[in-house]
Amino acid sequence: MSRWSLVRLELAPTVGFPKGSPSRFYLLRLPLFRDGAIDIAALLATPRNATVRRFWPNEPDRSGYIIRNDVGWAFSYPFGEVAENDLFEAIQQDIRPGGELRIFERDGSDMLYRIKSVLPEMS
């Protein structure tokens, strides 16, 4: 059985940020199994519950949804729409603290994020 969880991703070390950056982060709300896999059935049953919020100190916060597309998982701002000027990112499925996720932007660039925490939501 899965549980809806809050996942915090923080920017891992990059050329521009050799120590990473905890102020550049995402908060994801996803249904996860114990092994960190996304519960696809739960997400598809209530797709608007799967959310993303992007925090970047020099840009406005962005809120949207996590959707399934042809290549895997993507962030959609707003729900179900990916316009030409929207940020488009794909994420993989193994979501555990200490792991890493690569986020791909529409322009082809990508950044690595550390999975800082995975906290089950309280019912």
Side-chain angles (χ1 to χ4, degrees):
M1 181 171 189
S2 68
R3 290 186 69 172
W4 284 89
S5 299
L6 296 175
V7 179
R8 182 181 171 109
L9 307 175
E10 293 181 0
L11 184 64
T14 67
V15 173
F17 297 94
K19 294 183 179 182
S21 178
S23 66
R24 287 165 169 74
F25 67 98
Y26 286 86
L27 289 179
L28 311 179
R29 184 173 186 264
L30 289 165
L32 299 175
F33 290 111
R34 283 175 129 1
D35 66 358
I38 296 171
D39 182 343
I40 297 169
L43 190 147
L44 295 176
T46 54
R48 290 184 185 267
N49 288 345
T51 59
V52 57
R53 186 142 183 219
R54 179 183 185 262
F55 298 89
W56 214 255
N58 58 341
E59 296 178 16
D61 295 350
R62 297 189 76 181
S63 295
Y65 300 92
I66 300 168
I67 62 169
R68 187 98 164 144
N69 67 9
D70 295 340
V71 260
W73 299 103
F75 300 156
S76 174
Y77 312 96
F79 183 77
E81 297 177 22
V82 181
E84 266 318 297
N85 60 351
D86 280 344
L87 187 65
F88 180 85
E89 300 134 345
I91 60 174
Q92 62 193 46
Q93 281 195 37
D94 188 15
I95 301 174
R96 297 181 201 178
E100 295 177 330
L101 290 178
R102 188 162 301 277
I103 296 180
F104 299 91
E105 296 188 27
R106 192 178 244 320
D107 67 3
S109 65
D110 65 273
M111 292 190 154
L112 194 61
Y113 286 80
R114 287 192 177 134
I115 301 169
K116 197 66 173 174
S117 62
V118 179
L119 302 172
E121 282 194 332
M122 300 307 218
S123 303

